[in-house]
Amino acid sequence: MATRATPFHRARLRFKSRQDIFSGVYESTAWGSDESGSGTGSELRATANIREELPRLLTKLGAETLLDAPCGDWNWLSQIELPVSHYFGIDIVPQVIAANNAKYASAARTFTVGDLVEDSLPRADVVLCRDCLVHVSFQDARAILDNFRRSGATWVLINTYPEVTSNHNQLTGPEWRRLNFHLPPFNFPEPVETIADGGQVDPSQLALWRLADLPQFGS
């Protein structure tokens, strides 16, 4: 199952890059939110709990730096005070990063265009990867996870759906499916901590893992 879609995945990317795919999503407001181009999961109603709990968790971990990958349009994170000395936001869509830099950039806050699959990432203590892997193929998800490990980060936060009993593959793009990272092809161990995420929009668990404890995929 982990490799079934790979030939189609590669063929698609020869005709349309990941950057083109997700730039088109923002240009067409395909994720259906009037509040955030990043979709309903980035609306304030969907992030009330994690806006309260994320600063607490970062403080508990003693995190000095946070990599938000992907950062999207920063709709909900703009509403909280992050207890870190530096924040790195990275997203594949140039117009999103340009808008973030215009509105939110500071000496302690950097926004950069990048492809999580293949571009070098800044080193941070914690990586926040929310509502991302649900949109990409198994192949891209494994490559992203390996890239987080190569960045030198210690921790990663990913949303997972414990009620899912079987993960299925898809092409990287605007469509998404729920993933349970305990199951193949990921086989993560139990998380160190979880935070209720999504509110009534799409309930999930934002789960914390130590990157050193996760499988290496060699994608």
Side-chain angles (χ1 to χ4, degrees), residues 35-36 39-59 66 68 73-83 104 128 130 157 194-201 204 206:
E35 180 183 320
S36 171
T40 55
S42 292
E43 293 176 351
L44 298 185
R45 64 188 176 124
T47 57
N49 191 59
I50 59 168
R51 281 186 282 121
E52 181 176 332
E53 292 295 323
L54 180 60
R56 176 198 62 79
L57 180 58
L58 293 173
T59 298
L66 175 67
D68 187 11
D73 64 5
W74 231 55
N75 183 64
W76 66 274
L77 267 173
S78 66
Q79 303 300 307
I80 64 178
E81 189 72 31
L82 290 169
Y104 304 120
L128 173 62
R130 181 176 181 268
L157 280 160
T194 60
I195 299 170
D197 189 12
Q200 298 301 311
V201 176
S204 66
L206 189 64

Side-chain angles (χ1 to χ4, degrees), residues 69-141:
C71 61
D73 64 5
W74 231 55
N75 183 64
W76 66 274
L77 267 173
S78 66
Q79 303 300 307
I80 64 178
E81 189 72 31
L82 290 169
V84 294
S85 60
H86 202 94
Y87 165 94
F88 303 95
I90 186 167
D91 202 282
I92 200 169
V93 182
Q95 62 266 36
V96 168
I97 291 300
N100 287 353
N101 274 317
K103 291 188 286 187
Y104 304 120
S106 69
R109 197 181 295 146
T110 307
F111 296 94
T112 308
V113 177
D115 185 334
L116 302 182
V117 172
E118 56 191 17
D119 290 343
S120 295
L121 303 174
R123 193 216 167 276
D125 297 320
V126 180
V127 178
L128 173 62
C129 184
R130 181 176 181 268
D131 290 342
C132 170
L133 302 185
V134 295
H135 284 283
V136 306
S137 67
F138 288 162
Q139 177 186 356
D140 280 354

